[in-house]
Amino acid sequence: MGATSMERNETEGFTSGDEQTTAGTETDRGVSGRVRSVASSVKQKASGIPALLADGLQAGAQALRQRSVSSDASVAGSSVAVTSDTNIAAVTDTLASGMESSAEWIRDADLDKLKQGVEKQVKEHPARSLLVALGAGYLIGKALRR
């Protein structure tokens, strides 16, 4: 009886290494099943993100347009002249239009094709992709800190 092939089980006596391997495999299956379940849940939640993002862009564009209209009404009745009011209105309108077109693009985009394009770029230009990712992460971090 070598120590490697037999181990003491307090309730049943000795168990072989094969029985322990079977128990380990069942535990591995349970873990992999849980991992698959979590991955499925994450994938399901992620599938709703583009629609949520598009809705947010659409709502932001509408809010910009409403703010532009309300600020035009308040400026018209005041005694303070705003010389760049037309410039501000033009920039606001351009920004709102861009947000709306981005929302439409997100709704219509084929995410699998987009994913394949990104994967191709990363494989062909890994250093550039890393630099772009670092730059984007830095800018997003700066924006979220404020």
Side-chain angles (χ1 to χ4, degrees), residues 122-134:
V122 169
K123 286 178 184 175
E124 291 177 1
H125 309 284
R128 181 172 60 181
S129 300
L130 181 62
L131 291 174
V132 168
L134 287 172

Side-chain angles (χ1 to χ4, degrees), residues 8-100:
R8 174 94 172 136
N9 185 341
E10 293 184 18
T11 58
E12 297 179 274
F14 289 99
T15 58
S16 69
D18 292 338
E19 290 175 7
Q20 289 177 349
T21 303
T22 303
T25 304
E26 289 174 7
T27 303
D28 291 344
R29 286 184 201 146
V31 170
S32 65
R34 281 184 258 151
V35 168
R36 278 191 218 111
S37 174
V38 168
S40 173
S41 174
V42 167
K43 191 173 187 179
Q44 211 172 27
K45 289 178 183 178
S47 67
I49 290 175
L52 184 65
L53 183 59
D55 292 343
L57 284 169
Q58 191 74 36
Q62 289 174 352
L64 276 174
R65 288 214 163 100
Q66 287 176 354
R67 181 174 285 180
S68 176
V69 170
S70 68
S71 67
D72 287 345
S74 65
V75 170
S78 70
S79 61
V80 177
V82 178
T83 58
S84 64
D85 186 49
T86 56
N87 292 339
I88 292 172
V91 168
T92 302
D93 187 52
T94 302
L95 183 61
S97 296
M99 290 171 73
E100 287 174 340

